[in-house]
Amino acid sequence: MTSPESQSPAPQPPEPESKDRVYRSVPAIAGGVLLLAIAGWLGIDAVISGEGRTPWLVLAVLLLVVPLVTAFTLRPAVYAGDDRLRIRNPFRLVVVPWGQVASLRSVYSNEVLTEPGAKYQLWAVPVSLRARKRAARREMRATAHARREMGRGESRGSALGMTGGLMGQGLSREPVSDGPVRAETDRIMDELRGLHEARHRAESAQGEVTVRWAYEVLAPAVAGAVLVLILVAVG
């Protein structure tokens, strides 16, 4: 028999890796899919039925338009992890460790300000003034409703208190509030601010800001623009 000291400890199960929170604009994705479908339908029809240089011109236009539509609608996304914030904008991919984030600002656009002073816009989390006004109206209605319910509860409690204090206390209700009503993008910014506050001092959240240009979008768009100019010039 082996002694307890000679037995090897049981292997510990690996810790689950935390997944990034992904934020994207659903209306932008829906609009991009619709635009690509229309461009594909019109483009295929023009290539099949067109004559002369028309099919080549249509193909060049598609080579220019499709990457741009994809870049501004389907590509933008924000990935928020425990150590860094990845911002995928139309033409750039920006990786900002939480330790380099100075603040997250939301005015007419949602932006990330870094410690060196750079500013990057969050294309995937656009500001909607209409959504803010709608949320403000809902907040006003919820506040007014809570006040009415509180007044009713107090009046019932005072009326029943003359005959039975315990019964009046049992029937009175306190207003229930889940917090202020916020627009969707403002709620997302609140989550990002909370994650930044919790992780910006972590050792694993330090590092340098990196920026990479999206050549997979720029290259075909530039090639399509050059082809369109050449075909138009040739006539």
Side-chain angles (χ1 to χ4, degrees), residues 8-224:
S8 59
Q12 297 293 330
E15 296 182 358
E17 297 182 358
S18 60
K19 296 183 178 180
D20 292 350
R21 306 177 189 178
V22 183
Y23 302 101
R24 308 187 71 176
S25 175
V26 176
I29 294 175
V33 171
L34 180 61
L35 289 175
L36 290 176
I38 294 175
W41 173 45
L42 295 177
I44 293 175
D45 180 71
V47 169
I48 294 176
S49 60
E51 298 178 355
R53 291 192 178 90
T54 300
W56 297 105
L57 182 60
V58 170
L59 290 176
V61 171
L62 288 177
L63 186 60
L64 169 64
V65 170
V66 170
L68 293 180
V69 172
T70 303
F72 284 97
T73 58
L74 305 183
R75 175 180 167 81
V78 173
Y79 301 88
D82 290 339
D83 299 329
R84 61 183 182 174
L85 181 69
R86 287 192 299 143
I87 308 167
R88 196 170 70 185
N89 284 342
F91 302 119
R92 292 189 299 180
L93 175 64
V94 184
V95 180
V96 186
W98 287 118
Q100 289 291 328
V101 175
S103 64
L104 291 138
R105 186 170 62 184
S106 179
V107 187
Y108 295 104
S109 64
N110 291 317
E111 301 166 343
V112 174
L113 278 69
T114 64
E115 293 292 347
K119 178 176 65 177
Y120 303 103
Q121 185 175 349
L122 304 181
W123 279 79
V125 189
V127 170
S128 175
L129 298 180
R130 181 178 300 179
R132 283 181 177 176
K133 292 179 181 179
R134 187 164 54 246
R137 289 194 297 268
R138 289 176 56 194
E139 176 67 15
M140 292 176 61
R141 288 195 296 266
T143 302
H145 177 74
R147 289 177 178 174
R148 286 196 300 268
E149 291 295 323
M150 182 182 297
R152 291 173 184 174
E154 290 177 352
S155 61
R156 290 176 183 176
S158 60
L160 293 175
M162 301 297 293
T163 56
L166 292 178
M167 184 178 295
Q169 292 178 4
L171 292 178
S172 63
R173 295 189 298 174
E174 294 292 334
V176 179
S177 176
D178 294 330
V181 180
R182 302 277 283 166
E184 179 66 19
T185 54
D186 291 336
R187 184 188 61 79
I188 292 174
M189 292 299 290
D190 291 341
E191 292 181 2
L192 294 179
R193 292 188 185 99
L195 191 56
H196 168 242
E197 183 66 24
R199 297 292 301 169
H200 75 285
R201 296 185 183 277
E203 183 178 355
S204 59
Q206 309 305 314
E208 297 296 330
V209 179
T210 59
V211 180
R212 183 182 71 83
W213 288 95
Y215 294 106
E216 64 275 13
V217 174
L218 294 172
V222 171

